[in-house]
Amino acid sequence: MASFGWKRKIGEKVSKATSQQFEAEAADDKDLGDDDDANWVLAAKRRKEVLLEDCVKKSKKLKDEGASLAENRRYREALVKWDEALQLTPEDATLYEMKSQVLMSLHEMFPAVHAAEMAVQRNPRSWDAWQTLGRAQLGLGEIALAIRSFQISLHIFPMNPEVWKEDLSWARKLQEQQKATNTESAQKAKKALAKGKEFVQESIPDYDFESDEIVSVCAAIAEKEKVLSATKTMVIVSASGTVETVTEQDNCPATPDETLFIRAR
């Protein structure tokens, strides 16, 4: 009966030197793969940086072109340039602030306020943006909001004489005029309301219907009615067409012959 021994495990015949060489080559390949991944990440990052630099350069160029157009009062063309620049650098607060100024020059106050608000959102510490926002709000008649914006601008840059002496001073003057106008209007409305109430509540005069004047007038009217009732007048039309007015007296009851006359009103 044949005896069976233990089978050798797979790989046991591979020499130790060959195994070590294989492991070394695998480690080198892994290192090369890691280096390739790192190089790819660095290359992508560099390409992104280059792209951003190009966008910033193009945006600055468009911004300068728009500023030159705005100085020559070519406002619409300036807005086109700045809108193109915002496509490249949408977080540039200066572009929105400049755009708001041009829109105010075009008397487009609602878009001007919106652009200034965008500038403030992107750079809350820009005193220029707050000043422009205050001017745009003032153009809409929002005096209280404009005063607040000017105050924030001064808080950021307290030594700005333009905001202090011109913008904020003018806004407060307008606010005082507005308060005075509202007070005067309120007083006029109050007076008109009081006058209306007096007219409604005015009582009807109390006439004395038993006075001598009233009694004499009533007596005269009664006497006149009595005279008219005592004298009766009728119009008589004869059969031949003759018209005759006849006055009947109380003491003369006789009437014309009805065969000869036709009585009419």
Side-chain angles (χ1 to χ4, degrees), residues 4 13 23 43-44 51 65 74 76 120-121 151 163 196-197 202 212 217 238 247 252:
F4 295 92
K13 293 182 179 181
E23 291 177 357
L51 181 61
E65 291 176 357
R74 297 165 63 179
R76 296 294 180 185
V120 168
Q121 289 176 6
Q151 288 173 343
V163 177
K197 288 183 178 179
E202 185 178 357
D212 296 337
V217 170
S238 64
T247 301
C252 185

mmCIF file of all heavy atoms in Angstrom, residues 4 13 23 43-44 51 65 74 76 120-121 151 163 196-197 202 212 217 238 247 252:
data_model
loop_
_atom_site.group_PDB
_atom_site.id
_atom_site.type_symbol
_atom_site.label_atom_id
_atom_site.label_comp_id
_atom_site.label_asym_id
_atom_site.label_seq_id
_atom_site.Cartn_x
_atom_site.Cartn_y
_atom_site.Cartn_z
ATOM 1 N N PHE A 4 1.304 8.282 1.255
ATOM 2 C CA PHE A 4 1.237 9.636 0.703
ATOM 3 C C PHE A 4 1.875 10.613 1.699
ATOM 4 O O PHE A 4 1.608 10.549 2.902
ATOM 5 C CB PHE A 4 -0.213 10.058 0.442
ATOM 6 C CG PHE A 4 -0.881 9.208 -0.625
ATOM 7 C CD1 PHE A 4 -1.597 8.065 -0.289
ATOM 8 C CD2 PHE A 4 -0.744 9.570 -1.953
ATOM 9 C CE1 PHE A 4 -2.195 7.309 -1.273
ATOM 10 C CE2 PHE A 4 -1.354 8.778 -2.922
ATOM 11 C CZ PHE A 4 -2.079 7.660 -2.596
ATOM 12 N N LYS A 13 8.787 26.705 -4.128
ATOM 13 C CA LYS A 13 9.929 26.470 -5.003
ATOM 14 C C LYS A 13 10.622 27.772 -5.417
ATOM 15 O O LYS A 13 11.709 27.750 -5.959
ATOM 16 C CB LYS A 13 9.476 25.729 -6.254
ATOM 17 C CG LYS A 13 8.999 24.307 -5.986
ATOM 18 C CD LYS A 13 8.630 23.645 -7.273
ATOM 19 C CE LYS A 13 8.158 22.199 -7.030
ATOM 20 N NZ LYS A 13 7.816 21.517 -8.297
ATOM 21 N N GLU A 23 9.700 41.977 -4.794
ATOM 22 C CA GLU A 23 9.178 42.941 -3.828
ATOM 23 C C GLU A 23 9.814 44.312 -4.005
ATOM 24 O O GLU A 23 9.148 45.342 -3.874
ATOM 25 C CB GLU A 23 9.434 42.412 -2.412
ATOM 26 C CG GLU A 23 8.594 41.192 -2.059
ATOM 27 C CD GLU A 23 8.931 40.644 -0.685
ATOM 28 O OE1 GLU A 23 9.863 41.218 -0.061
ATOM 29 O OE2 GLU A 23 8.276 39.695 -0.235
ATOM 30 N N ALA A 43 0.258 69.998 -11.002
ATOM 31 C CA ALA A 43 0.060 70.581 -12.331
ATOM 32 C C ALA A 43 -1.342 71.190 -12.457
ATOM 33 O O ALA A 43 -1.516 72.280 -13.012
ATOM 34 C CB ALA A 43 0.270 69.512 -13.404
ATOM 35 N N ALA A 44 -2.357 70.492 -11.930
ATOM 36 C CA ALA A 44 -3.720 71.015 -11.986
ATOM 37 C C ALA A 44 -3.846 72.293 -11.168
ATOM 38 O O ALA A 44 -4.498 73.263 -11.583
ATOM 39 C CB ALA A 44 -4.698 69.960 -11.478
ATOM 40 N N LEU A 51 -4.880 80.292 -14.652
ATOM 41 C CA LEU A 51 -6.174 80.722 -15.182
ATOM 42 C C LEU A 51 -6.735 81.887 -14.382
ATOM 43 O O LEU A 51 -7.259 82.857 -14.948
ATOM 44 C CB LEU A 51 -7.154 79.550 -15.168
ATOM 45 C CG LEU A 51 -8.556 79.828 -15.720
ATOM 46 C CD1 LEU A 51 -8.480 80.244 -17.175
ATOM 47 C CD2 LEU A 51 -9.449 78.599 -15.564
ATOM 48 N N GLU A 65 -10.626 100.116 -18.945
ATOM 49 C CA GLU A 65 -11.293 100.600 -20.157
ATOM 50 C C GLU A 65 -12.649 101.215 -19.822
ATOM 51 O O GLU A 65 -13.033 102.259 -20.368
ATOM 52 C CB GLU A 65 -11.460 99.446 -21.156
ATOM 53 C CG GLU A 65 -10.145 98.956 -21.752
ATOM 54 C CD GLU A 65 -10.350 97.751 -22.662
ATOM 55 O OE1 GLU A 65 -11.511 97.287 -22.773
ATOM 56 O OE2 GLU A 65 -9.364 97.281 -23.252
ATOM 57 N N ARG A 74 -19.335 108.173 -21.529
ATOM 58 C CA ARG A 74 -19.863 107.083 -22.366
ATOM 59 C C ARG A 74 -20.281 105.960 -21.414
ATOM 60 O O ARG A 74 -19.680 104.900 -21.337
ATOM 61 C CB ARG A 74 -18.810 106.633 -23.372
ATOM 62 C CG ARG A 74 -18.416 107.744 -24.351
ATOM 63 C CD ARG A 74 -17.137 107.441 -25.100
ATOM 64 N NE ARG A 74 -17.263 106.257 -25.956
ATOM 65 C CZ ARG A 74 -16.273 105.798 -26.728
ATOM 66 N NH1 ARG A 74 -15.096 106.434 -26.753
ATOM 67 N NH2 ARG A 74 -16.451 104.724 -27.471
ATOM 68 N N ARG A 76 -22.978 103.936 -21.014
ATOM 69 C CA ARG A 76 -23.484 102.638 -21.442
ATOM 70 C C ARG A 76 -22.343 101.710 -21.843
ATOM 71 O O ARG A 76 -22.355 100.511 -21.514
ATOM 72 C CB ARG A 76 -24.460 102.825 -22.604
ATOM 73 C CG ARG A 76 -25.724 103.598 -22.250
ATOM 74 C CD ARG A 76 -26.581 102.834 -21.273
ATOM 75 N NE ARG A 76 -27.783 103.570 -20.925
ATOM 76 C CZ ARG A 76 -28.663 103.174 -20.019
ATOM 77 N NH1 ARG A 76 -28.467 102.052 -19.344
ATOM 78 N NH2 ARG A 76 -29.740 103.904 -19.744
ATOM 79 N N VAL A 120 -21.203 96.391 -1.119
ATOM 80 C CA VAL A 120 -21.096 96.332 0.344
ATOM 81 C C VAL A 120 -21.050 94.887 0.831
ATOM 82 O O VAL A 120 -20.323 94.555 1.779
ATOM 83 C CB VAL A 120 -22.279 97.099 0.975
ATOM 84 C CG1 VAL A 120 -22.375 96.826 2.462
ATOM 85 C CG2 VAL A 120 -22.126 98.593 0.723
ATOM 86 N N GLN A 121 -21.826 94.010 0.195
ATOM 87 C CA GLN A 121 -21.820 92.601 0.589
ATOM 88 C C GLN A 121 -20.448 91.970 0.369
ATOM 89 O O GLN A 121 -19.988 91.166 1.177
ATOM 90 C CB GLN A 121 -22.880 91.843 -0.197
ATOM 91 C CG GLN A 121 -24.312 92.177 0.205
ATOM 92 C CD GLN A 121 -25.323 91.472 -0.658
ATOM 93 O OE1 GLN A 121 -24.980 90.629 -1.502
ATOM 94 N NE2 GLN A 121 -26.587 91.812 -0.498
ATOM 95 N N GLN A 151 -23.075 107.159 7.904
ATOM 96 C CA GLN A 151 -22.483 106.996 9.226
ATOM 97 C C GLN A 151 -21.539 105.790 9.271
ATOM 98 O O GLN A 151 -20.479 105.844 9.904
ATOM 99 C CB GLN A 151 -23.586 106.844 10.271
ATOM 100 C CG GLN A 151 -24.350 108.139 10.540
ATOM 101 C CD GLN A 151 -25.540 107.940 11.447
ATOM 102 O OE1 GLN A 151 -26.011 106.820 11.640
ATOM 103 N NE2 GLN A 151 -26.049 109.038 12.019
ATOM 104 N N VAL A 163 -17.630 112.959 3.073
ATOM 105 C CA VAL A 163 -18.826 112.317 3.632
ATOM 106 C C VAL A 163 -19.394 113.154 4.773
ATOM 107 O O VAL A 163 -20.608 113.332 4.893
ATOM 108 C CB VAL A 163 -18.495 110.893 4.118
ATOM 109 C CG1 VAL A 163 -19.711 110.242 4.762
ATOM 110 C CG2 VAL A 163 -18.017 110.037 2.954
ATOM 111 N N GLY A 196 -64.469 120.099 9.887
ATOM 112 C CA GLY A 196 -65.531 119.221 9.413
ATOM 113 C C GLY A 196 -66.436 118.760 10.531
ATOM 114 O O GLY A 196 -67.660 118.690 10.377
ATOM 115 N N LYS A 197 -65.834 118.471 11.672
ATOM 116 C CA LYS A 197 -66.644 118.053 12.813
ATOM 117 C C LYS A 197 -67.540 119.182 13.294
ATOM 118 O O LYS A 197 -68.697 118.967 13.662
ATOM 119 C CB LYS A 197 -65.728 117.587 13.947
ATOM 120 C CG LYS A 197 -65.060 116.243 13.682
ATOM 121 C CD LYS A 197 -64.225 115.815 14.868
ATOM 122 C CE LYS A 197 -63.596 114.453 14.641
ATOM 123 N NZ LYS A 197 -62.762 114.034 15.797
ATOM 124 N N GLU A 202 -72.928 121.333 13.977
ATOM 125 C CA GLU A 202 -73.613 122.615 14.115
ATOM 126 C C GLU A 202 -75.118 122.386 14.222
ATOM 127 O O GLU A 202 -75.722 121.707 13.390
ATOM 128 C CB GLU A 202 -73.295 123.497 12.912
ATOM 129 C CG GLU A 202 -73.858 124.893 13.031
ATOM 130 C CD GLU A 202 -73.469 125.744 11.839
ATOM 131 O OE1 GLU A 202 -72.730 125.232 10.979
ATOM 132 O OE2 GLU A 202 -73.907 126.903 11.780
ATOM 133 N N ASP A 212 -94.475 137.378 16.804
ATOM 134 C CA ASP A 212 -95.432 138.275 16.135
ATOM 135 C C ASP A 212 -95.196 138.306 14.628
ATOM 136 O O ASP A 212 -96.155 138.378 13.845
ATOM 137 C CB ASP A 212 -95.314 139.687 16.723
ATOM 138 C CG ASP A 212 -95.708 139.738 18.194
ATOM 139 O OD1 ASP A 212 -96.454 138.829 18.614
ATOM 140 O OD2 ASP A 212 -95.273 140.668 18.896
ATOM 141 N N VAL A 217 -97.283 137.037 9.207
ATOM 142 C CA VAL A 217 -97.086 136.460 7.867
ATOM 143 C C VAL A 217 -98.134 135.399 7.584
ATOM 144 O O VAL A 217 -98.734 135.351 6.498
ATOM 145 C CB VAL A 217 -95.661 135.895 7.736
ATOM 146 C CG1 VAL A 217 -95.536 135.083 6.452
ATOM 147 C CG2 VAL A 217 -94.639 137.015 7.745
ATOM 148 N N SER A 238 -117.877 129.807 -26.595
ATOM 149 C CA SER A 238 -119.202 129.666 -27.203
ATOM 150 C C SER A 238 -119.153 128.670 -28.332
ATOM 151 O O SER A 238 -118.083 128.248 -28.774
ATOM 152 C CB SER A 238 -119.682 131.039 -27.711
ATOM 153 O OG SER A 238 -118.815 131.490 -28.746
ATOM 154 N N THR A 247 -116.248 135.786 -14.342
ATOM 155 C CA THR A 247 -115.947 135.723 -12.912
ATOM 156 C C THR A 247 -117.243 135.535 -12.159
ATOM 157 O O THR A 247 -118.187 136.316 -12.301
ATOM 158 C CB THR A 247 -115.287 137.010 -12.435
ATOM 159 O OG1 THR A 247 -114.076 137.199 -13.179
ATOM 160 C CG2 THR A 247 -114.965 136.939 -10.949
ATOM 161 N N CYS A 252 -123.856 135.816 -6.868
ATOM 162 C CA CYS A 252 -124.399 135.700 -8.232
ATOM 163 C C CYS A 252 -124.257 134.275 -8.698
ATOM 164 O O CYS A 252 -123.323 133.941 -9.434
ATOM 165 C CB CYS A 252 -123.708 136.674 -9.170
ATOM 166 S SG CYS A 252 -124.448 136.678 -10.830
#
